[in-house]
Amino acid sequence: MSRSQRSAMMTGTTIRRTAWAAGLWAGVAGCGVAPLTPSVPPPAPAALRCNVEVYCLLGLWNIWSLGLIDLTDRLMAAGVPSNAVSGTDWQTLAQAIGDDRAASGNGRPIVLVGHSFGGDDAIRIAKALEARGLRVNLIVLVDATNPAPVPPNVDKCVAYYLPTSLANLFPAYFPGNPAELEDGNDRTELINLRVTPEIVTEPLSFGHIDLDSSESLHRLIELEVFTLCPQN
């Protein structure tokens, strides 16, 4: 399934890197880029390898996290049902996942991947699903801005962070800090990984802004997802 076909399934909205500049200026003007409506469950790839559900949550205005659309493409090509979603649609997505589970008895593992503000939204989704008695098998945070502590319904959380002086001074407003567990949460496996050249092997031109586009980081996330595949 092509990127445009999947985007059509999400709202008819197609986001491409060739439209990045136009999207940027629209966002700066306050218009933003039209949100992606979640497709629950995600579209199935032609050759299913891993029967999980991966939701990649984009950050501010849907223009700073286009690398997650590339990650969605990569996972779909590898046989993993995946969907790129507007982080601002987190409530809609949480409701849709919960409703789908209640109606169908679907028990596929849930994976949430979020960059920047999308990482904050991934934790919000986990909290909403906790209220419905649902587990989240894996969360991957890619330099989340100011995520809430991870709730105990999350099996595993891997948080990649890129420290900055602003993050040290104003942790509530800038990305670059490790994730934390909720008080009393002794269930979730939390792995905080400071981004180093050993983790992200290619150079980053703009740090936080293009971290989501790192192919080496995409490979690591893909490997985490594959741990949830029964044949692995």
Side-chain angles (χ1 to χ4, degrees):
M1 183 180 293
S2 68
R3 177 183 297 181
S4 60
Q5 286 173 318
R6 288 202 315 283
S7 298
M9 293 180 69
M10 291 186 253
T11 60
T13 301
T14 301
I15 295 181
R16 294 188 177 89
R17 288 184 175 276
T18 53
W20 184 88
L24 170 61
W25 290 114
V28 170
C31 301
V33 177
L36 299 166
T37 298
S39 172
V40 177
L48 182 66
R49 171 180 175 182
C50 188
N51 199 19
V52 303
E53 296 181 10
V54 180
Y55 301 96
C56 295
L57 294 135
L58 278 64
L60 187 65
W61 297 327
N62 291 340
I63 56 176
W64 301 112
S65 306
L66 298 186
L68 293 190
I69 296 180
D70 293 336
L71 175 61
T72 300
D73 285 341
R74 180 189 186 102
L75 292 169
M76 287 287 286
V80 180
S82 306
N83 195 357
V85 180
S86 249
T88 53
D89 275 346
W90 71 266
Q91 291 173 303
T92 301
L93 178 56
Q95 181 73 38
I97 293 173
D99 291 349
D100 175 66
R101 302 280 159 142
S104 66
N106 167 17
R108 289 187 292 271
I110 296 171
V111 179
L112 304 174
V113 181
H115 170 244
S116 192
F117 286 109
D120 300 7
D121 295 325
I123 301 297
R124 294 186 178 105
I125 290 173
K127 284 293 294 180
L129 295 179
E130 180 188 30
R132 300 188 67 164
L134 296 173
R135 289 168 54 199
V136 175
N137 301 80
L138 173 65
I139 290 181
V140 180
L141 302 178
V142 181
D143 214 24
T145 303
N146 182 29
V150 181
N153 65 317
V154 177
D155 292 345
K156 182 177 183 179
C157 177
V158 181
Y160 296 95
Y161 66 101
L162 194 61
T164 65
S165 56
L166 287 174
N168 290 332
L169 291 172
F170 308 104
Y173 301 101
F174 291 94
N177 289 295
E180 299 179 349
L181 297 177
E182 282 188 354
D183 290 342
N185 179 6
D186 57 1
R187 180 181 177 278
T188 302
E189 179 186 2
L190 175 61
I191 301 175
N192 280 303
L193 294 171
R194 176 174 178 158
V195 173
T196 65
E198 289 72 34
I199 290 176
V200 173
T201 56
E202 62 271 62
L204 298 174
S205 300
F206 302 102
H208 171 80
I209 293 175
D210 58 352
L211 179 60
D212 61 291
S213 299
S214 163
E215 186 174 348
S216 54
L217 189 59
H218 288 181
R219 286 196 298 270
L220 293 172
I221 296 172
E222 184 180 50
L223 289 173
E224 285 289 346
V225 172
F226 284 160
T227 65
L228 299 173
C229 301
Q231 60 267 42
N232 290 347

